[in-house]
């Protein structure tokens, strides 16, 4: 497993060159934006259960066949497995975002995931759709652009109340990790 | 490659939980110290060739017998290899400064070094002398800020202790 710093070291070692100027600038940026990154990870972890259940609910609403007899989210046992897998994917994305590198996601989550799902008969398209919804809501939580939705009396709506700032780079980075999962599943 | 972030993530993954507040605080502490580390890494990278030359010269002037026939520096090719090895250690220290841990030195420098030097009949005292000279030669604020120098010296000491 690598993070942003050890990734720089491994690539410099392959050239047997010390790390200077250009590479250090990127790492200095990681350091300077460190607090934003930690807030972003916190935005995901603090809302994890909301993000996961929302994604699985959305996936089922779009394809109600999943919870009818014979569907892949029927009965509760398989629905629970689905929620658990959503949480696992989100957890590895949060690790990758903390590390600033996708290697932990690749090595420990995506490696063999597609093959496992095919063997178990899990519909890849539905799984990818749930991840796409997690991507949308996670990036909204990081950017604090999440809204209460169409229900006027929504009581579970929550904003993180962190200091406002430009988080576009982190949002884009988090989005690439979700995209990585989606492309790994398709 | 071991670093604060990978250690934190490995522990969280083993427990199957999301990164906790403690984890985020640990990473935050690492980030706060990172500025000095990266400064030291940059200055060391910029002066790597010069530092290597001075360290190697110091080593051969303390142990002139190394250039006699049958010794580790008996011809120019072998002398060049000595300088290359010193540059190698300094490069690994540069990596350690970037990562914020001894991982690169441990994995690529120290693991197996004793066996290799014994097989090749190389004196580790010469490397210790070169690294000690570098440590004592570096000074703040001429070379880098005091905090950065502190970080650099701690890794030089780590390498010296491992080779002693």
């Amino acid at each position: 497993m690598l993070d942003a710093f050890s990734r720089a070291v491994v690539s410099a070692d392959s050239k047997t060159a010390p790390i200077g100027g250009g590479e250090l600038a990127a790492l200095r940026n990681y350091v300077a934006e460190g607090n934003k990154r930690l807030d972003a990870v916190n935005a995901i972890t603090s809302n994890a259960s909301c993000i996961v259940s929302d994604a699985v609910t959305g996936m089922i609403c779009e394809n109600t066949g999943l919870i009818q007899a014979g569907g892949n989210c029927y009965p509760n046992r398989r629905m629970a497995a689905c929620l658990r897998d959503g949480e696992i994917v989100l957890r590895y994305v949060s690790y990758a975002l903390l590390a600033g590198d996708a290697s932990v996601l690749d090595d420990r989550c995506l490696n063999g995931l597609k093959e496992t799902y095919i063997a178990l008969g899990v519909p890849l398209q539905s799984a990818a759709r749930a991840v796409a919804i997690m991507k949308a809501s996670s990036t909204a939580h990081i950017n604090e652009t999440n809204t209460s939705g169409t229900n006027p009396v929504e009581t579970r709506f929550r904003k993180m109340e962190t200091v406002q700032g430009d988080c576009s780079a982190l949002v884009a980075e988090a989005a690439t990790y979700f995209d990585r999962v989606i492309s790994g599943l398709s | 490659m071991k670093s604060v972030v990978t250690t934190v993530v490995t522990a969280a993954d083993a427990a199957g939980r999301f990164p906790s507040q403690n984890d985020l605080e640990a990473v935050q502490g690492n980030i706060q110290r990172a500025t000095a580390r990266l400064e030291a890494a940059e200055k060391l990278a910029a002066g790597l060739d010069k530092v290597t030359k001075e360290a190697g010269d110091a080593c051969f002037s303390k142990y002139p017998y190394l250039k006699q026939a049958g010794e580790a520096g008996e011809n120019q090719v072998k002398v060049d290899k000595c300088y290359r090895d010193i540059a190698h250690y300094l490069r690994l220290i540069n990596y350690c400064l970037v990562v914020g841990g001894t991982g690169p030195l441990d994995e690529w420098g120290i693991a197996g070094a004793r066996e290799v030097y014994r097989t090749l009949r190389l004196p580790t005292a010469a490397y210790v002398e070169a690294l000690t000279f570098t440590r004592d030669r570096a000074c703040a604020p001429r070379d880098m800020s005091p905090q950065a120098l502190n970080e650099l010296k701690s890794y030089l000491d780590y390498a010296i202790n491992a080779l002693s």
Side-chain angles (χ1 to χ4, degrees), chain B residues 82-105:
Chain B
C82 295
Y83 283 90
R84 179 204 62 190
D85 282 359
I86 294 167
H88 180 61
Y89 277 112
L90 293 175
R91 182 167 58 83
L92 293 180
I93 288 172
N94 167 266
Y95 293 167
C96 287
L97 286 164
V98 170
V99 173
T102 54
L105 262 178

Side-chain angles (χ1 to χ4, degrees), chain B residues 132-155:
Chain B
T132 314
F133 175 84
T134 307
R135 183 192 63 191
D136 298 338
R137 177 92 168 83
C139 86
R142 185 194 64 194
D143 298 326
M144 55 188 75
S145 71
Q147 184 60 40
L149 189 66
N150 191 32
E151 299 278 345
L152 171 63
K153 286 192 173 181
S154 71
Y155 289 115

Side-chain angles (χ1 to χ4, degrees), chain A residues 17-28:
Chain A
I19 298 174
E23 292 111 320
L24 280 179
L27 297 174
R28 285 217 169 89

